[in-house]
């Protein structure tokens, strides 16, 4: 699915976003792409945008993570964690962080939390300022979420609050 979404991004660049060769990904996908994906997958636009971002990151910045996901060494949740930790890195820096992270023996048996911590350390080793930028980006997306629980009660969560 992520490979198909990456291809959708490649075929639908934002107006004025030039592609410089076959298989090259645009920096920005066309407006409305997330809405179309949300309808096709019966998910929210926010979830569709998140999937598109992950597909772009795995294709452009994190090819080793993409291969590990494809080969079943890590799962989708772990790939999301790695992409999230590398969000403020450029492709070259993300590649360095991947090499550091995947040099760790037994990465496939690690928990999500263990991978998150090791990815955060790898990112700090590559770009010490990345953690600060990541925190600032998250603060711009601060929100309170509510969801109904199956029991009939509700759940409330504060996300990225200071």
């Amino acid at each position: 699915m992520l490979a198909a979404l990456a291809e959708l991004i490649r075929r639908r660049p934002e107006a004025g976003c030039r592609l410089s060769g076959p298989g090259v990904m645009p920096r920005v996908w066309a407006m409305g792409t997330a809405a179309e994906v949300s309808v096709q997958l019966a998910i929210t636009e926010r979830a569709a945008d998140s999937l598109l971002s992950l597909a772009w990151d795995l294709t452009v910045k994190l090819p080793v993570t993409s291969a590990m996901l494809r080969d079943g060494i890590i799962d989708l949740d772990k790939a999301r964690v790695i992409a999230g930790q590398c969000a403020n890195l450029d492709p070259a820096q993300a590649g360095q962080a991947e090499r550091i992270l995947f040099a760790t023996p037994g990465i496939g048996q690690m928990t999500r939390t263990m991978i998150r911590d090791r990815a955060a350390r790898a990112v700090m080793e590559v770009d010490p300022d990345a953690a600060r930028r990541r925190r600032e980006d998250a603060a711009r997306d601060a929100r309170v979420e509510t969801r109904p629980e199956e029991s009939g009660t509700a759940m409330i969560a504060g996300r990225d609050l200071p």
Side-chain angles (χ1 to χ4, degrees), residues 86-142:
C86 294
N88 290 307
L89 300 178
D90 63 35
Q93 291 172 320
Q96 288 177 314
E98 275 188 319
R99 284 189 291 283
I100 294 166
L101 174 63
F102 289 114
T104 307
I107 196 88
Q109 287 72 42
M110 290 185 186
T111 66
R112 177 186 182 280
T113 303
M114 292 166 75
I115 288 177
R116 183 197 64 211
D117 293 345
R118 282 165 178 77
R121 279 190 228 129
V123 168
M124 283 193 285
E125 188 173 325
V126 170
D127 182 2
D129 228 17
R132 179 192 51 79
R133 289 192 315 270
R134 188 169 179 275
R135 230 181 359 263
E136 289 170 356
D137 288 348
R140 282 191 287 276
D141 195 30

Side-chain angles (χ1 to χ4, degrees), residues 1-76:
M1 178 180 65
L2 291 168
L5 289 174
E7 182 60 19
L8 181 65
I9 292 168
R10 192 185 67 73
R11 291 180 184 211
R12 296 206 181 141
E14 178 64 33
C17 199
R18 295 184 185 182
L19 300 179
S20 59
V24 174
M25 295 288 283
R27 294 187 64 173
V28 181
W29 50 88
M31 213 160 117
T33 305
E36 183 179 343
V37 169
S38 76
V39 170
Q40 293 298 320
L41 298 179
I43 58 177
T44 65
E45 261 189 72
R46 183 183 188 95
D49 196 50
S50 176
L51 279 174
L52 287 164
S53 294
L54 179 61
W56 190 90
D57 284 345
L58 291 174
T59 303
V60 175
K61 292 170 54 173
L62 302 166
V64 177
T65 303
S66 181
M68 295 287 197
L69 175 61
R70 183 194 63 233
D71 295 343
I73 296 168
I74 62 171
D75 60 22
L76 181 60

